[in-house]
Amino acid sequence: MVSKYLKQMTDSEIMVVLVSGMGSMSVSILGGYIALGIPMEYLLIASTMVPIGSILVAKTLYPQVEPIQEIETVKMDNKGQHSNIIDAIADGASTGAQMAFSIGASLVAFVGLVALINMILSVFGIRLEQIFSYVFAPFGFLMGFDGKNILMEGNLLGSKLVLNEFVAFQELGQHIKSLDYRTALLATISLCGFANLSSLGICISGIAVLCPEKRGTLARLVFRSMLGGIAVSLLSALLVGLVTLI
């Protein structure tokens, strides 16, 4: 939907697009989370908080200081520039193939990089996700978790960042029945979103196919947007945590 407007977007607006993508969930993958034992109502609560949170975090990370090009009307032009349905199918297939190849190559590169780092760290008997688990553990404390669940939350967030959210949800699904309602709800919300290391390459490659002119901007902003995506999920969890205490 936004592809035709990417070229005219300012850096701050690009940041909103990136953070929104990092902090949100694909509808097509919700079924996978539910199959892992995650209650749908928890996922829906998290999804409803993403739009406002993404804009808030994105504009905080990169305030709008550049002049913007105002768009008075947004048209959903299904026909586009294609002369007929054959042309549309051919163009869609070509763009999809380019995007799939770019995303696949980026995934291989970033996952391989993480594996290399873990191989080096294994000499010292640790893994990258273990390091980040201690970095994220304080957020479990801020959410009001008890001692053992604080470290569990740190482990889940570390797995999400280094591996992906699907792995983290798989780990959560194994323990969610033993958790109380509030802990399970907040842990679920904090894991929602695509903000992980492998998503860095996906964002650059996927969006650059749609707008090659913005590749440099995407590369410059993508790491900050990943942090923004993490912040969106954590802020949502903290906010819900405050509400559940009332």
Side-chain angles (χ1 to χ4, degrees):
M1 181 176 177
V2 301
S3 59
K4 65 177 69 175
Y5 304 110
L6 287 171
K7 191 174 182 179
Q8 290 78 34
M9 285 185 178
T10 64
D11 289 0
S12 180
E13 291 169 335
I14 291 290
M15 178 64 81
V16 174
V17 173
L18 290 173
V19 173
S20 298
M22 289 284 194
S24 62
M25 296 179 293
S26 169
V27 175
S28 61
I29 206 170
L30 287 181
Y33 299 156
I34 296 170
L36 294 174
I38 309 301
M40 177 180 284
E41 57 268 28
Y42 296 178
L43 299 171
L44 293 178
I45 291 172
S47 297
T48 58
M49 303 183 72
V50 170
I52 296 177
S54 296
I55 296 174
L56 173 65
V57 171
K59 291 301 183 180
T60 301
L61 291 174
Y62 204 115
Q64 182 68 57
V65 294
E66 306 164 273
I68 61 175
Q69 179 178 339
E70 295 186 6
I71 302 175
E72 295 183 359
T73 58
V74 177
K75 296 182 179 180
M76 296 296 293
D77 187 359
N78 294 326
K79 184 177 180 181
Q81 303 298 319
H82 306 115
S83 57
N84 54 44
I85 189 172
I86 303 298
D87 184 23
I89 293 173
D91 183 62
S94 176
T95 302
Q98 293 178 47
M99 188 176 295
F101 178 80
S102 297
I103 290 174
S106 296
L107 272 175
V108 171
F110 278 87
V111 171
L113 178 61
V114 170
L116 175 62
I117 295 174
N118 275 332
M119 184 176 67
I120 296 173
L121 291 176
S122 65
V123 176
F124 306 98
I126 57 174
R127 294 176 61 84
L128 194 58
E129 52 265 39
Q130 291 175 321
I131 295 175
F132 281 110
S133 70
Y134 290 101
V135 174
F136 286 119
F139 289 102
F141 173 77
L142 292 176
M143 293 177 198
F145 292 175
D146 57 30
K148 63 178 182 179
N149 289 330
I150 288 176
L151 189 56
M152 177 204 71
E153 175 69 3
N155 286 328
L156 292 173
L157 291 171
S159 294
K160 175 195 172 183
L161 175 63
V162 177
L163 301 173
N164 57 57
E165 74 286 347
F166 202 87
V167 174
F169 273 126
Q170 188 175 29
E171 294 177 9
L172 176 60
Q174 296 172 356
H175 306 287
I176 197 166
K177 290 184 178 180
S178 63
L179 302 175
D180 62 84
Y181 168 78
R182 184 176 182 276
T183 301
L185 173 62
L186 299 189
T188 298
I189 294 175
S190 68
L191 295 180
C192 291
F194 292 114
N196 56 67
L197 295 178
S198 60
S199 292
L200 297 176
I202 293 175
C203 284
I204 296 175
S205 301
I207 300 178
V209 170
L210 301 174
C211 186
E213 297 88 348
K214 291 293 184 179
R215 175 176 286 274
T217 300
L218 293 168
R220 180 163 45 85
L221 299 179
V222 70
F223 184 79
R224 204 185 312 181
S225 71
M226 183 191 71
L227 298 180
I230 295 172
V232 170
S233 300
L234 291 177
L235 286 174
S236 297
L238 290 170
L239 181 59
V240 173
L242 289 175
V243 173
T244 55
L245 289 176
I246 298 176

